[in-house]
Amino acid sequence: MFTEFPLTRPDTPLLDLIDSPADLREFSAAQLAPLCKELREFLIYSVGQSGGHFGAGLGVVELTVALHHVFNTPDDRIVWDVGHQAYPHKILTGRREALPKIRSVAGPAAFPLRSESEYDTFGVGHSSTSISAALGMALAFRQQKLENQSVAIIGDGAISAGMAFEALNHAGHEKANMLVILNDNDMSISNNVGALNKYFTRIWSSQTYSAMRQGSKKVLEKIPAAWEFARRTEEHMKGMVAPGTLFEELGFNYYGPIDGHDLNELVATLENLKKLSGPRFLHIVTRKGKGFTPAEEEPIKYHAVKSLNAKAPAIKKPTYSNVFGNWLCDVAAEDERLVGITPAMREGSDMIRFSEEYPERYYDVAIAEQHAVTLAAGLACEGVKPVVAIYSTFLQRGYDQLIHDVALQNLDVLFAIDRAGLVGEDGPTHHGAYDLSYMRCIPNMVIMTPSDEQECRQLLYTGYKHQGPAAVRYPRGSGCGADTSGPLVERPLGKGIVRRESSLTEKRVAILAFGAPLSAAMNVADVVDATVADMRFVKPIDDALILELAQTHDVLVTVEENARMGGAGSAVLEVLAGEGLAVKVEMLGIPDRYIEHDSPFQQHLDAGIDESAILAVIRKHFPISV
C-alpha cells in the first residue's frame, strides 16, 4: 500500500515480460496476482511522473489483467467507457514504457484512441457510450458469422445516463452475444458482496446451469403458464441475493455482484461467461484508488493528479470556475429564485460551496446532460431562475434540448459554459471548440465571451438578468488575474468596447477579440499600434462597432478560441456582407481539424490563435519591422 508517489521506477520483472496481451495469456494462474501488484506499483509511479487520471485505473487493475488473460484480444473487443480507467489497459497493450509521457505530444493519448493501438477498439472520452459501441460490434460479428466476443466495461456513474439504458434495452431486444461489466466503485448500486452471492454467481455463470436452464425452457415453453411461473421464481430468487432484476427485465442474464479485486474469482467467472451466449451482465464491486491510501480515502480529489515535476505557479490565481462559483453564491444570496444544476460536475464547475450553502437549490442530475437542460426548462416554466453549469464539450450532448426545450420556448435559462476553447492534455474529446458555432444559429440565444475574470463575473450577471436563454462561455484555468471585487453590473446587451485605439492615420489594423484571446491581441497591438475591440457578445453582435471599425481601418482581424467555421468571425463577415462593405478581413480561430493532446501553449500555436499568429496576419498586409 502506497501513501505517496514513488520517485524511482519499481522493479517489475513480470510486467516487463508483457509486450502484448498474448504474452499475458501465457502466464500461469499463480503469476497473475504478483503481476497485478507490479502493474499497480508501475501505474502509481508513472502517473506520478506524467500526471493524469489516477484513481479509476487503480480500481480496475485486476479486472484489466483478467480480461486480457481470458479474452483473445484484440480479436475479442474490449470497450472501455469514458477511458479514465484505461491506463492499465495501455500498459498491457504495448505502451508500458511510453506511459510516463501520457497526455503529452510525445506520449499516448489520455483516452483510448483507435489510431493509437489495435487494442483500443473504440475512441472514447465522453461517458456512457461503451454499451452502444460494443453492441454495434456484436451485431456486426453476428452479421459476418464471426465468433469474436464483445465486452463493454462501464462505471456506476456512467450507467446512470439514458444512453446506457437505451443500449441495454436494444441489446436485450436483439439478444446480442455480448458481455457488459458494471464496475461499481462507489457502492452506489449495491454493497451485497459476500460468500452466498459469490456462490450463486458461480452457479449462474456455469455452463451446467445455463444448459439446464435452456433445456427446461424448451420443455416448459410448451406450457406457457408453467414456464412463466419458473421464470418468475428464478427471477425472484436472484433478486433476494443480487440486485439484478432491472437488468434481467431488460433481457440480460445478470451475474454478481462479485469482488472486483478477487483475481481468482474474476478469472473463473469470466471464463464461465465467455463460454455462454446472449446478453450477459456482470456486476463487480471495486475500490477507486485501490493501493494508494490517499486516493482510497479521497477518491474525488485523486480522480486526476498533476505530475510531480509540474511547477506550481508563484501566485495561484483564481480560475474561471472559481469566479463562477463565487458569483453563483453571491447572486443566490440576493435572489431566492436561483437554482444551480450540474450533470455530475460539482467539483469541476466549482459548485461545492453553493451545494453546501444552498443544498435545497442545488441539483446534481448525474451524467445526464440532456435531462439537465430540459430540467432547467421545466423549472423556468414555473418562474424559477435555473443556472446550468456545464462543460462546452458536454453541452453538445444536450443540443436538441437546448434548441427544442429551451430556446424555442424562449425560456429564462442561463448556461455557464466552462472549458470553452482548447483544454490541453485531455485532447480533442474534451475541447470546447464548437459552442459558438452550434449556438449562434439558434434563435433567441444570447451568447457572451468574457475576456477576463471580471468580465466573466459581470457577463454572468448580465446573462442572469436577461429574460430568455443566455450563455456565457469561459476557458479552463486562470486568466490574467483581473480583480473580481466590486458590485455586479449589467453590461449593455450586444455592445462591445474598444480597449485600445490605434494612433496611426494610415495602414490601420483593428483586432476584434472574442473572449480570452483579448490578452494576446493587446500584446500584439502594443507592437504594431493596432486598435483592439473586446467584442463581449457573439449574439447579438455589435453591428455598429463592427461597421465603425470597418470604415476607419484598412484590415480587420477577428480572433476567437472556437472553430473558425461558423464562429464569431463568420458573424463579423455576415455583418459586413449585409452592408456591402469591402474590407480586408483575417479570421483566426481553430482550424477545420482536431487539435491533438498537448500543452495549452502548443495547442494555441498549432491552431494559429496565439500572439505570433495574430502578428503574422497583420504583417502579411503591412510587412513592417519592429
Side-chain angles (χ1 to χ4, degrees):
M1 180 72 75
F2 285 85
T3 57
E4 57 186 28
F5 290 99
L7 300 178
T8 57
R9 190 190 192 283
D11 292 329
T12 55
L14 290 174
L15 184 61
D16 294 345
L17 296 174
I18 299 175
D19 293 319
S20 75
D23 300 322
L24 171 58
R25 288 191 281 275
E26 296 297 320
F27 277 34
S28 67
Q31 290 176 299
L32 296 182
L35 172 64
C36 288
K37 180 176 181 294
E38 291 182 13
L39 178 55
R40 184 168 274 112
E41 291 174 354
F42 180 79
L43 179 62
I44 294 171
Y45 161 76
S46 64
V47 177
Q49 298 299 305
S50 65
H53 298 109
F54 184 58
L58 289 175
V60 297
V61 165
E62 288 80 9
L63 175 63
T64 308
V65 168
L67 284 168
H68 282 297
H69 182 71
V70 171
F71 289 94
N72 185 35
T73 55
D75 293 338
D76 291 335
R77 310 291 199 244
I78 295 176
V79 183
W80 299 95
D81 208 281
V82 186
H84 294 152
Q85 74 279 50
Y87 288 17
H89 160 81
K90 293 200 175 205
I91 293 170
L92 295 174
T93 53
R95 290 162 280 181
R96 178 183 63 248
E97 299 308 319
L99 201 76
K101 295 181 180 178
I102 197 169
R103 302 168 78 243
S104 72
V105 69
F111 305 96
L113 184 65
R114 279 172 56 85
S115 61
E116 185 177 288
S117 170
E118 62 180 335
Y119 295 94
D120 291 359
T121 60
F122 195 75
V124 294
H126 288 189
S127 165
S128 314
T129 62
S130 61
I131 303 175
S132 296
L135 172 59
M137 294 171 187
L139 295 178
F141 294 148
R142 183 167 75 187
Q143 183 171 327
Q144 298 170 69
K145 297 180 170 54
L146 298 174
E147 297 298 323
N148 304 59
Q149 298 273 349
S150 174
V151 183
I153 300 97
I154 187 167
D156 54 343
I159 207 168
S160 66
M163 184 176 177
F165 281 93
E166 290 171 12
L168 287 169
N169 183 58
H170 186 207
H173 171 76
E174 294 288 347
K175 297 182 171 53
N177 186 30
M178 67 181 296
L179 171 62
V180 174
I181 299 176
L182 171 62
N183 176 31
D184 180 355
N185 60 24
D186 198 29
M187 311 303 281
S188 62
I189 295 176
S190 171
N191 60 357
N192 192 11
V193 180
L196 181 62
N197 190 72
K198 186 182 295 186
Y199 170 73
F200 278 118
T201 297
R202 279 214 176 172
I203 292 176
W204 293 331
S205 66
S206 69
Q207 282 186 297
T208 302
Y209 179 84
S210 180
M212 184 174 67
R213 188 179 189 276
Q214 292 301 317
S216 299
K217 181 180 179 181
K218 288 179 181 178
V219 173
L220 292 176
E221 274 186 330
K222 298 174 183 178
I223 313 172
W227 167 243
E228 179 64 15
F229 177 77
R231 186 188 69 79
R232 288 189 174 276
T233 299
E234 178 194 46
E235 178 183 294
H236 292 156
M237 188 268 287
K238 282 186 175 183
M240 287 190 293
V241 293
T245 303
L246 171 62
F247 305 110
E248 293 273 350
E249 290 292 336
L250 287 170
F252 279 75
N253 284 321
Y254 172 91
Y255 309 93
I258 64 172
D259 184 351
H261 300 298
D262 186 334
L263 190 61
N264 292 333
E265 192 66 27
L266 269 177
V267 170
T269 301
L270 290 175
E271 288 281 11
N272 282 340
L273 293 176
K274 181 182 177 182
K275 298 168 187 173
L276 303 180
S277 60
R280 290 145 287 155
F281 191 101
L282 174 63
H283 180 175
I284 70 170
V285 176
T286 62
R287 188 174 183 86
K288 196 169 185 179
K290 174 75 171 176
F292 191 79
T293 301
E296 290 190 15
E297 294 174 350
E298 296 184 85
I300 294 175
K301 179 180 178 181
Y302 284 88
H303 169 70
V305 297
K306 295 189 177 188
S307 165
L308 294 174
N309 302 316
K311 294 181 180 179
I315 300 176
K316 188 175 181 181
K317 296 181 290 186
T319 65
Y320 279 96
S321 301
N322 298 151
V323 172
F324 165 72
N326 290 330
W327 170 86
L328 191 66
C329 291
D330 290 347
V331 177
E334 297 177 358
D335 189 347
E336 293 183 354
R337 296 175 301 158
L338 182 147
V339 299
I341 301 170
T342 176
M345 284 289 147
R346 184 183 78 142
E347 287 74 23
S349 295
D350 198 15
M351 296 179 74
I352 298 173
R353 179 183 154 206
F354 178 80
S355 69
E356 293 171 347
E357 293 184 8
Y358 303 98
E360 73 286 355
R361 292 153 65 184
Y362 166 74
Y363 300 100
D364 185 340
V365 303
I367 303 173
E369 293 86 359
Q370 294 168 310
H371 167 58
V373 176
T374 304
L375 173 68
L379 287 162
C381 284
E382 303 304 325
V384 173
K385 294 278 289 188
V387 177
V388 180
I390 192 166
Y391 289 9
S392 172
T393 188
F394 298 141
L395 181 57
Q396 294 163 188
R397 310 186 81 176
Y399 189 55
D400 178 68
Q401 289 71 26
L402 177 61
I403 296 172
H404 186 273
D405 299 338
V406 175
L408 179 62
Q409 303 183 91
N410 201 28
L411 292 173
D412 197 5
V413 178
L414 174 63
F415 293 90
I417 304 175
D418 203 341
R419 270 60 167 185
L422 300 172
V423 299
E425 292 82 356
D426 282 346
T429 60
H430 282 56
H431 291 328
Y434 313 110
D435 54 74
L436 295 184
S437 301
Y438 69 65
M439 289 192 298
R440 197 170 69 80
C441 61
I442 304 174
N444 295 332
M445 287 296 301
V446 168
I447 308 167
M448 292 163 275
T449 56
S451 55
D452 61 31
E453 297 90 335
Q454 178 65 267
E455 281 294 302
C456 185
R457 180 174 166 83
Q458 303 302 353
L459 289 178
L460 283 166
Y461 188 67
T462 303
Y464 186 79
K465 287 294 187 179
H466 172 71
Q467 297 297 305
V472 180
R473 58 105 69 176
Y474 45 90
R476 180 182 188 179
S478 302
C480 60
D483 181 18
T484 56
S485 62
L488 291 167
V489 180
E490 283 186 73
R491 300 300 193 212
L493 197 68
K495 295 298 179 183
I497 184 172
V498 174
R499 297 287 186 183
R500 185 189 190 281
E501 185 76 47
S502 172
S503 63
L504 300 176
T505 57
E506 60 179 9
K507 297 181 179 179
R508 302 186 83 218
V509 177
I511 306 171
L512 286 67
F514 293 86
L518 177 72
S519 177
M522 293 292 285
N523 291 338
V524 171
D526 288 339
V527 174
V528 298
D529 193 4
T531 296
V532 178
D534 179 357
M535 296 302 294
R536 286 180 173 164
F537 291 83
V538 175
K539 187 177 183 181
I541 201 161
D542 193 339
D543 299 49
L545 179 56
I546 293 169
L547 297 175
E548 177 189 337
L549 294 172
Q551 291 164 351
T552 56
H553 293 76
D554 300 284
V555 177
L556 303 184
V557 178
T558 69
V559 58
E560 62 190 295
E561 200 168 336
N562 182 82
R564 192 164 55 223
M565 297 177 70
S570 295
V572 172
L573 291 180
E574 289 166 14
V575 172
L576 296 172
E579 294 295 324
L581 286 178
V583 60
K584 294 175 182 176
V585 180
E586 294 283 353
M587 290 171 51
L588 297 182
I590 299 171
D592 188 26
R593 57 183 171 83
Y594 294 107
I595 306 298
E596 298 300 330
H597 59 284
D598 206 336
S599 68
F601 174 82
Q602 288 297 329
Q603 286 178 338
H604 285 87
L605 193 67
D606 183 20
I609 54 174
D610 64 319
E611 290 182 24
S612 65
I614 301 172
L615 189 59
V617 297
I618 293 174
R619 284 183 169 165
K620 183 174 75 173
H621 295 277
F622 307 121
I624 57 175
S625 59
V626 292

